[in-house]
């Protein structure tokens, strides 16, 4: 995936189940030179949505710190984890993950957007991937 081009990936998430999406970069892309975060929103206008016990939030953010419990971050919740593999190889990959304890809190039939953002050492963010997020309802809640 060239840095200057847009990449799209839609993320189908099963409610009450672990969910992840992988983004593969071009061979030898230096993913270890950057930090990453992902953000899930209802829409690009920043419309708030209800998210489990957190109530009304503006976004869900996922970064490189593994979180099974979510601290509040202003208008959002910080969850999940982003991991890297294969830096400097033929298949560098970023994996964005949410846990079942988090996916259960999405509203039924939630439809939204997501971005994968790459931050340089100078603090500049580049959107590497974007797409839609769709939640597939669970027939029965996990206990």
């Amino acid at each position: 995936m060239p840095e200057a081009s847009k990449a799209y990936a839609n993320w189908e998430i099963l409610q009450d189940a672990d969910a992840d999406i992988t983004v593969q970069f071009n061979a030898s892309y230096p993913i270890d030179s950057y930090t990453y975060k992902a953000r899930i929103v209802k829409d690009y206008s920043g419309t708030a949505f209800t998210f489990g016990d957190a109530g009304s939030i503006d976004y869900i953010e996922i970064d490189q710190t593994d979180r099974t419990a979510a601290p509040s971050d202003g208008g959002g919740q910080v969850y999940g984890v982003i991991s890297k593999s294969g830096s400097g190889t033929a298949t560098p990959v970023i994996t964005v993950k949410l846990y079942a304890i988090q996916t259960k809190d999405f509203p039924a039939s939630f439809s939204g957007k997501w971005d994968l953002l790459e931050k340089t050492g100078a603090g500049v963010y580049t959107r590497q991937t974007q797409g839609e997020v769709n939640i597939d309802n669970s027939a029965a809640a996990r206990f």
Side-chain angles (χ1 to χ4, degrees), residues 73-92:
D73 182 27
Q77 294 288 300
V78 183
Y79 280 123
V81 66
I82 291 177
S83 58
K84 305 175 191 179
S85 63
S87 184
T89 70
T91 55

Side-chain angles (χ1 to χ4, degrees), residues 7-131:
Y8 297 93
N10 293 335
W11 193 359
E12 296 289 327
I13 295 174
L14 297 176
Q15 202 173 39
D16 299 322
D18 289 349
D20 61 48
I21 189 166
T22 58
V23 178
Q24 183 174 330
F25 288 77
N26 283 343
S28 301
Y29 188 82
I31 61 175
D32 282 340
S33 299
Y34 305 105
T35 56
Y36 293 88
K37 72 177 179 179
R39 212 172 243 204
I40 298 172
V41 296
K42 175 68 178 160
D43 54 39
Y44 291 125
S45 298
T47 302
F49 59 96
T50 302
F51 191 76
D53 293 339
S56 182
I57 63 172
D58 297 332
Y59 61 87
I60 295 168
E61 191 164 279
I62 307 161
D63 60 23
Q64 292 173 234
T65 301
D66 195 353
R67 291 185 178 91
T68 54
S72 178
D73 182 27
Q77 294 288 300
V78 183
Y79 280 123
V81 66
I82 291 177
S83 58
K84 305 175 191 179
S85 63
S87 184
T89 70
T91 55
V93 173
I94 299 289
T95 301
V96 182
K97 180 172 185 157
L98 285 171
Y99 299 103
I101 195 168
Q102 296 142 6
T103 64
K104 74 177 179 59
D105 286 338
F106 274 102
S109 301
F110 176 86
S111 180
K113 311 290 184 190
W114 83 285
D115 293 328
L116 176 66
L117 303 171
E118 176 182 88
K119 183 179 176 184
T120 66
V124 176
Y125 281 99
T126 300
R127 181 174 31 197
Q128 288 291 356
T129 305
Q130 64 190 46

